[in-house]
């Protein structure tokens, strides 16, 4: 048996009931949260760019998929220098995505379908087109608005050198020099990312007040939470001290940097938690926090701070039983003391999709340019997903992974838009490969992404994607889409999945994992060889065909099995 069991239609009454049951524990503790990348999800008006009405029209698909909540990457007014992570107006929808009325309708529809909505908040930096920054430039060095960003005089005889040695994540110096209103060279401003993304100065009370007000604006609109972009970056070490060496990107993740994971950020999240708690219905905050250790990540989800933090250590783990077991234990152990759920994530809009990561040799990082062995990658991706969905805590699914989409590794340079692709020596800028619009139907691009066959899509879709569309996979019990649907349906019907904070490891042959959670057992074979074991129970679901015979089972190469015991 493979994955064909579940009837995925869920009556609204069931959803309401489930919502009540999990609400008593905190709905977010075991929620499956689906990331929509608005540019690439669904385009309602045929301009080649996804939009809010498009997302709204596809909400029933997400309800039927069986996820609990939807996180939307930014759709705010933005010049799109970093695909919307450069916000010019935090209270407006960019016309390319729709209007505030569309956002309101989307939130209402989602709630009616039993789906929660999480929006992206970008508090580390604004767009350089934000009114404050524009005024700060226009009004010159004496402008009181300069205090809301990091403006500094340059070093060197004529201020021609940047104020310190910090490097941008996207490459090059983290400083850009301004021009005074009279045309003379002026002060420099700090941008940890693109020059179009000036960093806010979080010591400024006006900045702190503004974001508390922005939180309230969207909470009043009814959103259920915020994914907080670069949550580890808001506070900089006093005096903005030099780091003392180049190639700083390599230090990220190991060392505490003067611009990341400073202890001062926690005061901000405590203040935000107070606001979230003022609202009914358990509104949540999710930290995108890159820190040197999982223990430091746990600081963001202490009981009076945010609710969840992404588990990037898990995302970065190779398809290897020993490494996976280690990271799972480490993740669970680090969250237990703060009583926060662990989260699990395999893909997002910043990394090569896991079907492609696992298709390549390990150790290549998260920006991969080669397709690798596609069928191997897909087999492992399906197994990795079932493992993720069997773990206690909350899981994140990135749009298109339920279709088994690979990264598009051969996009021509002319169509690329990732700003880091165009800057030297920064984070490898291959993020467009996971941002290609997803296929819904039809045999011709844009495969139902937009309304008209032959219509545009902002990044070109590969010809092979016709076979991977939602329409092509629906009803095919061997498809990855039906695997996700079944897995999410089983997860809902088995309270032991997702809940709790522990796994009980069972003895398992080398290269395999087996763990128990109540009346449920999960087996994983990360090797390329079949492995024979005693069948743990009744097979519920397999990432591929698993044969049970006379009390024994053969764990197929690169497979995961779910068992009732
Ligand atoms: C986060 C976002 C990424 C963006 C960066 C700067 O890491 O996920 O897409 O480029 O922040 O805002
Ligand atoms: Ca559109």
């Amino acid at each position: 048996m493979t994955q064909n069991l579940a009837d995925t239609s869920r009556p609204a009454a069931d959803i309401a009931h489930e919502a009540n049951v999990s609400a008593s524990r905190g709905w977010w503790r075991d929620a499956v949260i689906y990331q929509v990348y608005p540019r690439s999800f669904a385009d309602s008006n045929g301009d080649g760019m996804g939009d809010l009405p498009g997302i709204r029209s596809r909400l029933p698909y997400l309800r039927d998929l069986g996820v609990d909540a939807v996180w939307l990457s930014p759709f705010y007014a933005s010049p799109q220098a970093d695909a919307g992570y450069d916000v010019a107006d935090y209270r407006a929808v960019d016309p390319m995505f729709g209007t505030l009325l569309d956002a309101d309708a989307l939130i209402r529809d989602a709630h009616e379908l039993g789906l929660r909505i999480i929006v992206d908040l970008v508090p580390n930096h604004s767009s350089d087109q934000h009114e404050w920054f524009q005024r700060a430039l226009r009004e010159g060095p004496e402008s009181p608005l300069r205090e809301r960003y990091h403006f500094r005089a340059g070093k060197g005889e004529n201020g021609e050198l940047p104020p310190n040695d910090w490097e941008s994540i996207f490459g090059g110096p983290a400083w850009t020099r301004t021009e005074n209103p009279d045309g003379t060279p002026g002060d420099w401003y700090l941008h940890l990312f693109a020059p179009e993304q000036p960093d806010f100065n979080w010591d400024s009370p006006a900045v702190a007040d503004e974001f508390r007000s922005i939180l309230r604006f969207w909470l009043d609109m009814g959103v259920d939470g915020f994914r907080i972009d670069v949550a580890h970056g808001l506070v900089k070490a006093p005096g903005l001290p030099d780091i003392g060496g180049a190639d700083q990107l390599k230090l990220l993740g190991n060392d505490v940097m003067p611009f990341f994971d400073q202890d001062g950020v926690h005061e901000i999240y405590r203040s935000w938690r107070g606001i979230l708690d003022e609202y009914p219905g358990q509104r949540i905050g999710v930290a995108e926090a890159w820190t040197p250790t999982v223990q430091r990540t746990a600081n963001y989800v202490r009981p009076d701070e945010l609710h969840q933090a992404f588990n990037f250590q898990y995302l970065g783990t190779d398809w290897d039983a020993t490494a996976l077991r280690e990271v799972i234990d480490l993740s669970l152990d680090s969250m237990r003391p703060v009583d926060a759920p662990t989260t699990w994530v395999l893909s997002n809009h910043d990394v090569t999709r896991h079907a492609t990561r696992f298709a390549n040799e390990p150790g290549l990082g998260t920006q991969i340019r080669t397709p690798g062995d596609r069928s191997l990658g897909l087999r492992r991706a399906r197994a990795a997903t079932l493992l993720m969905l069997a773990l206690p805590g909350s899981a994140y699914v990135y749009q298109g992974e339920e279709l088994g989409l690979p990264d598009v590794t051969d996009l021509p340079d002319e169509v690329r838009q990732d700003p880091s692709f165009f800057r030297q020596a920064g984070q490898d800028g291959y993020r467009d490969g996971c941002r290609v619009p997803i296929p819904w139907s039809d045999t011709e691009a844009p495969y139902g992404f937009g309304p008209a066959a032959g219509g545009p899509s902002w990044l070109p879709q590969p010809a092979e994607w016709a076979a991977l569309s939602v329409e092509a996979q629906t009803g095919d019990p061997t498809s990855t889409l039906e695997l996700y649907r079944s897995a999410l349906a089983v997860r809902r019907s088995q309270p032991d999945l997702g809940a709790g904070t522990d796994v009980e490891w069972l003895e398992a042959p080398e290269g395999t994992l087996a763990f128990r959670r109540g009346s449920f057992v999960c087996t994983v074979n990360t090797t390329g060889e079949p492995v024979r074991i005693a069948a743990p129970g009744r097979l519920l679901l397999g990432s591929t065909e698993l044969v049970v015979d006379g009390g024994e089972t053969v764990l197929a190469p690169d497979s995961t099995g779910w068992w009732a015991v």
Side-chain angles (χ1 to χ4, degrees), residues 448-464:
F449 164 67
S457 67
W458 71 278
L459 286 172
Q461 301 155 299
E464 310 87 74

Side-chain angles (χ1 to χ4, degrees), residues 78-82 85-88 125-130 133-134 149 168 170 176 189-199 419-420 423:
S78 162
Q80 304 286 320
D82 184 22
Y85 283 95
D86 49 320
V87 180
H125 44 264
S126 70
S127 160
D128 63 346
Q129 300 305 308
H130 190 284
F133 191 75
Q134 283 297 311
Y149 295 91
S168 153
F170 288 166
T176 290
Y189 68 89
L190 176 70
H191 53 87
L192 292 182
F193 294 88
E196 296 88 349
Q197 294 167 297
D199 279 52
S420 54
R423 290 170 68 84

Side-chain angles (χ1 to χ4, degrees), residues 43-47 49-51 96:
D43 168 21
S44 71
N45 60 355
D47 64 355
M49 186 58 74
D51 46 52
M96 107 186 176

